[in-house]
Amino acid sequence: MARLIDLRMLVEACIDFPDEDIDFLEAADALGKLAHIKQLQQRLFVSAKQGSLLREGVHVVLVGQPNVGKSSLLNQLAGDEIAIVTPIAGTTRDTVREEIDIQGVPFHIIDTAGLRDTSCEVEQIGISRTWNAVEKASLVLLLLDAREGESEADRVILARLPTGLPVVKVFNKIDLLSAPTAESGQDVFVSAKTGAGMDGLRLRLLALAGWEQTGEGAFMARERHLRAMKSAREHIENAETNWRQLEFFAEELKLAQNSLSAITGEFCADDLLGEIFSRFCIGK
Ligand SMILES: Nc1nc2c(ncn2[C@@H]2O[C@H](COP(=O)(O)OP(=O)(O)OP(=O)(O)O)[C@@H](O)[C@H]2O)c(=O)[nH]1
Ligand SMILES: [Mg+2]
């Protein structure tokens, strides 16, 4: 297996002994080795992301106007009567959380108070809790009434959602439509009452969570592991683009190695890569 530390020693030797020049690095296939390390690191990153997903789960927040069926959708996803459902707009006040499992991936589904202008103090507190939940969301399902389509009130909600947060529009109550709607683009159509369209929604949630069946084990990474790996990847990429500037090349390799070492402390980065990949039986 190509090792980061060997490559670093190679580059540093080149700097220390000016007789050795870039040809020497080329002959030693430094770039080929770097590409191999990058590839291993990328595979490790994917496994780590999957592991992090299994450990932390995905926070999905249901938002929308009152009465569109958020609580019904939570109940349908959970397969149980978790949240109170009534035809009265403004039923949900507190956020209601339930952990569900889709193909082994945990999802924390958070039902919230419907969003509207209201003079009711209790409802106002509920609505501010909705926005607090949105801040912590990994993704948002914006529920809409399929009979109404997207209204001005929905557009106001959409505009208030943080930029960069993935949002899926879920048109609910399709059982009440006289004619079936043609599925369009990224939108999802369901009936929280009959369960129609729910399998499609579950698959969509898995895809948005970034779940990939790689066939390789998932490395139980934490958020800080992912950050360390991202930083290592950036340094490896910097090294690759600037490899002709040897000092820079060596420095970026060092930084990449430091980032990986941050995951385990006393353990050296190459040991970590070796350890993890030997478990996945990936050819060396
Ligand atoms: N026919 C039909 N009725 C639905 C569907 N989903 C929800 N409802 C009904 O719509 C009404 C409101 O449903 P809720 O789930 O309480 O709606 P909500 O969005 O949680 O409402 P708030 O808590 O007030 O914000 C209830 O009478 C539900 O039975 C659906 O898919 N089809
Ligand atoms: Mg509700």
Side-chain angles (χ1 to χ4, degrees):
M1 186 192 288
R3 290 172 19 123
L4 201 51
I5 192 156
D6 297 339
L7 187 58
R8 250 186 86 191
M9 282 167 61
L10 201 67
V11 180
E12 278 165 18
C14 220
I15 295 169
D16 293 343
F17 300 97
D19 290 350
E20 306 290 3
D21 55 13
I22 282 189
D23 294 343
F24 168 74
L25 274 189
E26 273 179 334
D29 190 27
L31 273 191
K33 288 191 168 78
L34 188 62
H36 186 210
I37 290 169
K38 195 169 133 185
Q39 197 191 5
L40 287 176
Q41 215 255 337
Q42 180 57 25
R43 283 159 80 173
L44 177 58
F45 188 67
V46 170
S47 309
K49 252 186 16 204
Q50 305 299 289
S52 166
L53 204 58
L54 291 177
R55 178 194 286 276
E56 319 275 344
V58 186
H59 290 257
V60 180
V61 178
L62 310 180
V63 301
Q65 296 185 64
N67 244 346
V68 290
K70 300 176 293 300
S71 302
S72 305
L73 188 71
L74 170 76
N75 292 348
Q76 182 64 244
L77 282 167
D80 203 354
E81 298 302 309
I82 308 288
I84 300 172
V85 168
T86 77
I88 305 162
T91 297
T92 305
R93 305 296 173 88
D94 283 321
T95 47
V96 181
R97 289 151 199 275
E98 183 65 15
E99 186 177 323
I100 65 159
D101 171 310
I102 305 175
Q103 291 182 24
V105 180
F107 286 82
H108 310 276
I109 310 289
I110 298 137
D111 176 29
T112 64
L115 298 168
R116 65 169 169 185
D117 288 330
T118 173
S119 54
C120 169
E121 197 182 333
V122 183
E123 205 179 340
Q124 282 171 353
I125 295 172
I127 288 171
S128 75
R129 290 186 179 191
T130 301
W131 291 113
N132 290 342
V134 165
E135 274 172 31
K136 296 181 207 123
S138 331
L139 67 102
V140 161
L141 299 186
L142 174 66
L143 262 79
L144 308 98
D145 189 319
R147 293 167 300 176
E148 315 275 327
E150 190 178 310
S151 67
E152 185 49 35
D154 296 317
R155 279 190 280 275
V156 170
I157 297 172
L158 262 176
R160 258 194 82 175
L161 293 170
T163 43
L165 181 64
V167 179
V168 179
K169 290 184 214 162
V170 178
F171 290 87
N172 186 35
K173 310 197 185 185
I174 55 168
D175 58 297
L176 298 177
L177 294 176
S178 43
T181 43
E183 299 273 317
S184 71
Q186 300 297 303
D187 301 339
V188 175
F189 294 83
V190 297
S191 167
K193 187 169 182 180
T194 67
M198 292 301 294
D199 287 342
L201 176 60
R202 288 190 191 93
L203 289 179
R204 193 61 190 286
L205 286 172
L206 278 175
L208 280 163
W211 182 245
E212 295 169 43
Q213 242 113 19
T214 55
E216 285 169 8
F219 161 42
M220 283 296 178
R222 294 178 181 279
E223 263 313 298
R224 70 180 180 87
H225 296 151
L226 291 180
R227 274 200 303 278
M229 282 186 217
K230 256 190 206 151
S231 141
R233 188 169 60 185
E234 278 163 22
H235 290 304
I236 289 173
E237 279 165 5
N238 287 346
E240 207 175 33
T241 33
N242 297 289
W243 75 280
R244 282 175 188 281
Q245 296 159 259
L246 293 186
E247 310 273 350
F248 193 87
F249 191 18
E251 180 63 17
E252 289 295 331
L253 292 179
K254 186 171 117 196
L255 292 173
Q257 210 186 352
N258 288 350
S259 299
L260 288 177
S261 301
I263 295 175
T264 52
E266 75 288 357
F267 213 35
C268 115
D270 287 308
D271 291 344
L272 175 72
L273 283 171
E275 171 91 353
I276 290 165
F277 279 99
S278 65
R279 285 203 284 128
F280 298 150
C281 311
I282 290 168
K284 296 191 176 188

